[in-house]
């Protein structure tokens, strides 16, 4: 990998950390440059703007997620298994891109303003279609209940899963894998005590 590519990756990693911690609007180009030990003007050698950095961070995150979902859908397994795999794929993506996840979740008002947003919007639509496809297949096979509209089920799952990034932090005694198993169990089996 070239030195320019290495520097670009370091800049994106530091920018993602700052955007997640402070918000995109509150993070300055100077702060990003300071975090990597370069002058703010030198940052423009790597990126045209702060928005280009945001787009690169979010695009990498969504490209990884859509790839993971594509693998799940290609598996042609039972809907309940695919649902479990969508959850574990999502959580793996959260682990791989923790700052990008927070940026994406917390910046819905900012992202539509950036150049290249069309790609982000298309990826988000692909992600939603994956969930809807699995839920509809589960309803069609009788594996999932049919008394709740699919879009409502999707919204419940989506928000419970993706907003967990705001409060759930894995520990040695309760890992991301534990969380994934319990998440799917609660949605598929409920919270009533087991006999």
């Amino acid at each position: 990998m070239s030195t320019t590519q290495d520097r670009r990756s370091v800049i994106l990693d530091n920018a993602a950390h700052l955007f997640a911690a402070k918000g995109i609007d509150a993070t300055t180009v100077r702060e990003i440059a300071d975090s990597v030990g370069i002058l703010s003007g030198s940052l423009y050698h790597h990126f045209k703007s702060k928005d280009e950095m945001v787009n690169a961070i979010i695009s990498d995150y969504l490209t990884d997620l859509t790839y993971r979902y594509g693998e799940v859908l290609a598996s042609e397994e039972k809907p309940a298994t695919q649902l479990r795999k969508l959850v574990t794929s999502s959580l793996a993506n959260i682990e791989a891109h923790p700052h990008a996840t927070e940026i994406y979740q917390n910046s819905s008002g900012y992202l539509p303003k950036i150049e290249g947003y069309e790609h982000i919007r298309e990826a988000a639509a692909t992600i939603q279609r994956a969930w809807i496809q699995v839920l509809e297949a589960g309803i069609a096979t009788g594996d999932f209940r049919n008394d709740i509209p699919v879009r409502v089920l999707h919204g419940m799952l989506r928000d419970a899963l993706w907003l967990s990034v705001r409060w759930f932090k894995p520990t040695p005694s309760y890992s991301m894998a534990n969380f994934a198993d319990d998440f799917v169990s609660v949605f598929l089996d409920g919270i009533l005590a087991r006999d």
Side-chain angles (χ1 to χ4, degrees):
M1 188 181 289
S2 72
T3 304
T4 301
Q5 193 61 29
D6 289 344
R7 175 62 78 179
R8 187 176 165 88
S9 295
V10 169
I11 292 167
L12 287 176
D13 288 346
N14 281 274
H17 173 76
L18 289 166
F19 295 151
K22 298 179 65 174
I24 298 168
D25 278 331
T27 302
T28 65
V29 170
R30 178 180 299 276
E31 289 171 314
I32 297 167
D34 288 348
S35 75
V36 293
I38 62 175
L39 298 172
S40 55
S42 299
L43 213 73
Y44 295 108
H45 172 71
H46 302 280
F47 298 96
K48 296 188 298 195
S49 65
K50 181 169 71 168
D51 285 354
E52 185 180 4
M53 288 181 252
V54 172
N55 191 14
I57 292 163
I58 298 301
S59 291
D60 286 350
Y61 160 75
L62 292 174
T63 297
D64 190 12
L65 187 59
T66 55
Y67 175 79
R68 291 172 193 264
Y69 281 11
E71 287 186 322
V72 171
L73 297 178
S75 71
E76 297 184 14
E77 296 178 272
K78 290 183 175 185
T81 301
Q82 285 188 323
L83 181 68
R84 181 177 300 280
K85 287 184 175 184
L86 285 177
V87 170
T88 57
S89 294
S90 299
L91 293 172
N93 211 57
I94 288 171
E95 279 191 309
H97 306 274
H99 300 310
T101 303
E102 289 187 56
I103 295 163
Y104 186 71
Q105 295 304 317
N106 296 331
S107 304
S108 61
Y110 187 93
L111 293 176
K113 300 178 210 170
I114 68 172
E115 186 178 321
Y117 176 71
E118 184 63 27
H119 168 71
I120 293 170
R121 191 175 61 74
E122 288 171 9
T126 299
I127 290 163
Q128 181 182 23
R129 281 191 302 272
W131 285 93
I132 299 293
Q133 180 180 330
V134 169
L135 291 169
E136 286 177 340
I139 291 168
T141 61
D143 292 334
F144 302 154
R145 47 193 294 187
N146 65 3
D147 60 325
I148 301 173
V150 172
R151 298 231 179 257
V152 172
L153 282 173
H154 170 252
M156 289 175 177
L157 285 162
R158 179 199 60 219
D159 289 352
L161 180 63
W162 290 106
L163 295 179
S164 69
V165 72
R166 294 183 179 168
W167 59 268
F168 177 72
K169 303 297 180 229
T171 65
S173 63
Y174 193 80
S175 68
M176 190 66 86
N178 295 130
F179 180 73
D181 289 343
D182 289 344
F183 183 93
V184 173
S185 174
V186 165
F187 273 94
L188 291 182
D189 306 327
I191 62 171
L192 297 178
R194 297 176 179 165
D195 293 332

